Amino acid sequence: MSALLEVEGVSKVFGGVIANADITLAVPEGAIVGLIGPNGSGKTTLFSSIVGQHAIDGGSIRYEGSEISRLRVAEIARLGLLRTFQQTRIYGGMDCLKNMLISISHRREGLIDMLSRHSAEQVDEADRHLEFVGLYEKRFLLAGDLSFGQQKLLEFAMALMNGPKLLMLDEPTAGINPTLINGLIDRLKRVNEEIGITLFVIEHNMRVIMDLAQHIYCLAHGELLADGTPDEIRGDNRVIDAYLGAH
Amino acid sequence: MNRQGMLILAVLGVGAVIGAPFAIPAFITQLSFLWLMVLFALTWDIMGGQMGYNSFGNIFFFGIGAYVCAVIQRDAGLDWHVAFFIGMAAAAALGVIAAAILGSGMLGLRGQYFAIATLGLGIAGGEIASGWDYIGAGSGLVPPLYPGALGAREMFFYFLFLVLAIICFFTLRRLYSGRFGLAINAIRDDEDKAESMGLHTTRYKTIAWCVSAFFLAMAGAGAGNMIGFIDPRDVAFAGLTFGVWMVLMAILGGKGTLWGPVLGAAIFHITQELFWTYLLGWQRVALGLLIVVIVVFFPTGILGWVREHYPEKFGQAVDAEAQGAAMGEKAEP
């Protein structure tokens, strides 16, 4: 069995603080995999390691069977492995449509492409994705003027525009109006089923992650504590202890 | 504004810039300098405004252009016009090559580190040029005299800079409306995000500097000839005058907009000429005050201020009504 993403024995140390210790996990193609853990357990660090934002101190990260732990951020992104950020990152000085248009895939891009204009199909596609996340009406607004939740949705739409194979979402529902969360879960599932994007999701909202993921990994103190189906995780005393502070 | 109004304005504008040297021949050199200033501001804004990389070394490419062209004119032994245009083409090519090489080395720096690094460029250029005998060292270089009749020289340079400024303006307009424009805006807003979305950030940044250098080197080739004497520090690598002005003009007009640098250059140049005429002796003080006023009262520039107060004029709909109007416009085939 070869998964789309294989993390094997990855460690990351920040000046004596062990953020990740010997983490091994796998994200199979087409799946929705969850990553949970109390604050400071190293979830976001692991995401940053996978997409190349910092070098890892040990272990290996394989994507589609080849080692990516030595590649740079943009190179990994061009392979179709994308992440979104916990604190949203959008281009605040540009309107939503422009944010979308520049988020197209840059996999094959020559000088001519770099100096060309957007095709009508690209604009259509951008509109379609904005419609999908419910931001079509705001497409000519500056992205920086949107609310936090809307920026989060825009960032999600931008990631879809890029056409990734594996999308890693860092707390997609944080800051989103609770009444909209069900809609977002539904959209994430549709993206997974209809477009076939594999999802790897960090989430604090237990209801969301139990509903969404087929397999969940739980981190605590930088170590892999448990993994299993949502039901197994729910019944795992070690996970409950980690969250309630028994450690 | 409707289409007809735009057309009338455009015709009037074209008429004015073509007719100006004939209508007010006494001001023809000032007007030629006005177009040079527009070129300065437009080329600076590519990096400084649209991409958020403040460069204080763009004057370097201007200086290269001035020297390359003058040396070719001096040594080629061809007809003046032929030598000049060959020199100009060579200047543009060398400017772009210099930008590509420097860019690949320096554009890895971010924000203020890049700004400080570029500060050294102009100074180094001036020092090298004033110590190199082949290009006249400290005593400068005099390009061959324009061969035409009296008055033809001024006319030639007026239209040269007019055409260059117009080509530059429309090239940038075209580039800004495409992927290149969005990419450099994205780099300005959040370079880390742009990288994590897979953008070839270094490539885009280098292209931006090359475009800037392309037009600046040609402007330098023309300016060296128009001024008639290339001093290494006061003309070619004039960091303290041209080099600072290009930043001020872009900021005054509104950096990061297409028309801002044009507007800023016009206002700056006219005020500066007025200071020189009516405040002689105090002109530098007045200029200094103007700079302070610009930065304090118009930190985002004139067009930046207009955009903040009337965003819908820039296609940024802020309420449902304006939204509907903007969408209606787009929906038409």
Side-chain angles (χ1 to χ4, degrees):
Chain A
M1 182 208 98
S2 170
L4 182 60
L5 177 74
E6 292 166 297
V7 173
E8 212 179 293
V10 165
S11 301
K12 177 69 194 172
V13 180
F14 290 112
V17 178
I18 301 167
N20 286 152
D22 198 24
I23 306 277
T24 299
L25 53 80
V27 180
E29 186 152 9
I32 302 181
V33 174
L35 182 63
I36 61 170
N39 290 324
S41 58
K43 305 182 295 293
T44 300
T45 301
L46 184 64
F47 264 33
S48 299
S49 297
I50 293 170
V51 299
Q53 248 137 10
H54 48 228
I56 53 174
D57 295 319
S60 101
I61 300 167
R62 282 189 304 279
Y63 171 73
E64 293 186 306
S66 47
E67 184 70 31
I68 59 167
S69 60
R70 298 245 170 262
L71 296 182
R72 277 188 279 183
V73 176
E75 292 167 332
I76 292 173
R78 287 196 284 272
L79 293 174
L81 198 173
L82 228 56
R83 75 168 295 186
T84 65
F85 293 87
Q86 197 172 357
Q87 299 300 319
T88 60
R89 304 286 285 265
I90 41 91
Y91 309 123
M94 297 156 71
D95 66 32
C96 295
L97 183 60
K98 287 179 178 168
N99 268 272
M100 294 297 291
L101 287 172
I102 195 55
S103 299
I104 49 161
S105 167
H106 298 268
R107 229 155 288 169
R108 277 178 292 276
E109 188 178 52
L111 188 63
I112 307 282
D113 298 318
M114 296 175 102
L115 301 179
S116 67
R117 276 194 254 214
H118 339 282
S119 62
E121 295 87 66
Q122 284 167 349
V123 177
D124 284 347
E125 198 190 339
D127 284 347
R128 225 176 37 245
H129 289 308
L130 283 174
E131 181 90 66
F132 180 67
V133 298
L135 285 176
Y136 183 81
E137 275 67 41
K138 315 233 179 235
R139 64 203 195 116
F140 293 120
L141 273 186
L142 282 191
D145 290 343
L146 298 178
S147 71
F148 181 75
Q150 288 168 337
Q151 289 184 0
K152 211 127 203 175
L153 292 171
L154 176 62
E155 196 183 19
F156 176 51
M158 285 159 71
L160 294 183
M161 187 76 185
N162 201 285
K165 279 202 193 95
L166 171 57
L167 180 56
M168 312 209 311
L169 300 158
D170 198 343
E171 297 196 26
T173 65
I176 292 208
N177 186 334
T179 56
L180 293 178
I181 287 184
N182 282 338
L184 185 67
I185 298 175
D186 177 52
R187 286 192 182 95
L188 289 173
K189 282 181 172 167
R190 275 175 60 194
V191 161
N192 179 251
E193 282 162 20
E194 292 169 21
I195 317 178
I197 299 175
T198 307
L199 297 176
F200 188 25
V201 187
I202 293 180
E203 188 52 68
H204 266 304
N205 187 326
M206 284 303 145
R207 186 178 66 78
V208 171
I209 200 70
M210 295 297 164
D211 184 6
L212 195 62
Q214 297 129 9
H215 196 93
I216 296 175
Y217 289 92
C218 178
L219 293 187
H221 303 292
E223 288 166 25
L224 194 62
L225 190 68
D227 79 286
T229 62
D231 286 331
E232 287 166 7
I233 290 291
R234 223 193 307 256
D236 194 316
N237 281 327
R238 290 171 304 170
V239 176
I240 296 164
D241 286 347
Y243 270 93
L244 295 180
H247 271 255
Chain B
M1 203 182 302
N2 60 25
R3 240 189 153 68
Q4 214 167 7
M6 290 283 262
L7 201 68
I8 293 171
L9 249 172
V11 170
L12 280 179
V14 170
V17 296
I18 292 177
F22 302 100
I24 39 172
F27 292 101
I28 187 164
T29 304
Q30 278 86 340
L31 289 172
S32 310
F33 268 101
L34 171 63
W35 296 119
L36 177 60
M37 294 299 148
V38 169
L39 276 163
F40 277 150
L42 277 173
T43 51
W44 186 83
D45 194 57
I46 303 171
M47 298 277 285
Q50 300 282 351
M51 207 171 87
Y53 269 64
N54 291 313
S55 164
F56 297 107
N58 279 10
I59 194 70
F60 184 69
F61 306 115
F62 178 81
I64 287 184
Y67 272 111
V68 168
C69 183
V71 165
I72 287 176
Q73 283 176 287
R74 184 189 66 186
D75 297 343
L78 294 164
D79 169 62
W80 192 93
H81 284 95
V82 177
F84 175 70
F85 284 110
I86 291 176
M88 198 174 206
L94 240 86
V96 170
I97 292 169
I101 294 171
L102 288 171
S104 59
M106 290 171 71
L107 283 167
L109 299 170
R110 297 254 178 114
Q112 57 270 59
Y113 300 103
F114 174 78
I116 292 166
T118 57
L119 205 54
L121 268 186
I123 299 169
E127 289 302 317
I128 292 169
S130 59
W132 191 4
D133 283 329
Y134 176 65
I135 55 170
S139 51
L141 196 61
V142 180
L145 204 63
Y146 185 77
L150 203 69
R153 179 179 184 275
E154 282 72 23
M155 228 23 127
F156 175 80
F157 286 112
Y158 175 84
F159 282 102
L160 177 79
F161 281 109
L162 174 64
V163 168
L164 264 184
I166 288 174
I167 293 175
C168 180
F169 179 86
F170 283 101
T171 307
L172 294 186
R173 196 174 87 144
R174 167 71 181 72
L175 286 177
Y176 291 162
S177 71
R179 198 188 291 186
F180 173 79
L182 295 190
I184 60 176
N185 284 168
I187 290 169
R188 173 196 64 196
D189 285 350
D190 191 338
E191 189 167 347
D192 288 326
K193 172 70 178 175
E195 257 176 32
S196 73
M197 293 297 283
L199 255 76
H200 293 96
T201 48
T202 310
R203 257 193 245 171
Y204 276 112
K205 288 189 282 186
T206 310
I207 293 175
W209 220 11
C210 288
V211 173
S212 192
F214 177 76
F215 286 106
L216 269 174
M218 289 204 287
N225 276 274
M226 180 169 70
I227 295 167
F229 171 65
I230 303 172
D231 182 273
R233 289 198 189 86
D234 290 340
V235 176
F237 300 101
L240 280 180
T241 51
F242 298 153
V244 173
W245 294 349
M246 56 175 86
V247 184
L248 287 175
M249 292 184 293
I251 291 174
L252 169 65
K255 62 178 187 172
T257 60
L258 183 60
W259 277 100
V262 180
L263 192 67
I267 294 176
F268 181 84
H269 186 59
I270 292 167
T271 359
Q272 199 201 21
E273 289 295 325
L274 291 176
F275 288 165
W276 242 255
T277 313
Y278 298 107
L279 296 171
L280 195 64
W282 290 86
Q283 78 273 33
R284 295 220 176 257
V285 177
L287 198 62
L289 275 179
L290 177 69
I291 293 167
V292 172
V293 170
I294 292 170
V295 175
V296 171
F297 291 102
F298 294 101
T300 54
I302 296 168
L303 278 193
W305 184 88
V306 175
R307 180 159 62 177
E308 269 168 32
H309 289 76
Y310 305 97
E312 66 280 0
K313 297 264 183 239
F314 289 78
Q316 293 159 8
V318 286
D319 58 31
E321 235 179 80
Q323 185 66 47
M327 273 162 62
E329 245 168 60
K330 275 273 174 181
E332 282 169 33

